Amino acid sequence: MTVKRMDNVGIVVADIDGAIEFFTELGLELEGRAPIEGDWADGVTGLRDMRVEIAMMRTPDGHSRLELSRFVAPPVVADHRVAPVNSFGYLRVMFTVEDIDNTLARLRKHGAKLVGEVMQYEDMYRLCYIRGPEGILIGLAQELNQQTSRANAKEDKR
């Protein structure tokens, strides 16, 4: 049996409202928000008396989701938000955006900080890493050949 799909990536945050605002500005849509607790939640996570608030954010294409979690109990035990990009474990979430400069300008108003520089990889992508809400590492990529491919496709139809 093979994997059917990847359902979501989970990120634990302290300020779920701020994280929702940030990822909404990025272009994700709030799909739902709910408290999670009970025997089934304790059993699946291995945490006793777990209480968490989650918000499920969906990408515009509907294929990917980001699950934001704010733990009420038990308290958070580790913090990986300041780890550099070459650290073990969770690294980042990468999003493809239409216009990286415009996206950066909008996200800076929500506290985003550029990690390095916006760099171009060959004639294919412009890429960067940013620190988003609470220091979450996020990658942004703008496809460059997409505009070229669309222009060529229009010319080919003529």
Side-chain angles (χ1 to χ4, degrees), residues 19-34:
I20 290 169
E21 288 177 20
F22 181 89
F23 287 107
T24 298
E25 184 66 43
L26 182 57
L28 278 70
E29 299 171 28
L30 179 62
E31 191 173 65
R33 189 171 175 170

Side-chain angles (χ1 to χ4, degrees), residues 21-105:
E21 288 177 20
F22 181 89
F23 287 107
T24 298
E25 184 66 43
L26 182 57
L28 278 70
E29 299 171 28
L30 179 62
E31 191 173 65
R33 189 171 175 170
I36 304 293
E37 60 185 294
D39 291 340
W40 74 270
D42 291 359
V44 76
T45 63
L47 299 173
R48 294 288 134 222
D49 301 318
M50 185 197 80
R51 290 190 337 258
V52 65
E53 178 182 12
I54 67 161
M56 194 64 74
M57 307 290 297
R58 183 181 63 244
T59 57
D61 66 3
H63 295 295
S64 301
R65 287 173 180 73
L66 188 65
E67 180 181 306
L68 303 171
S69 302
R70 183 184 67 83
F71 275 81
V72 177
V76 174
V77 297
D79 191 342
H80 303 282
R81 295 175 293 184
V82 295
V85 298
N86 61 340
S87 300
F88 287 119
Y90 159 78
L91 178 57
R92 57 148 172 80
V93 177
M94 174 73 75
F95 295 99
T96 299
V97 298
E98 291 179 7
D99 181 333
I100 203 165
D101 297 316
N102 178 274
T103 302
L104 283 170

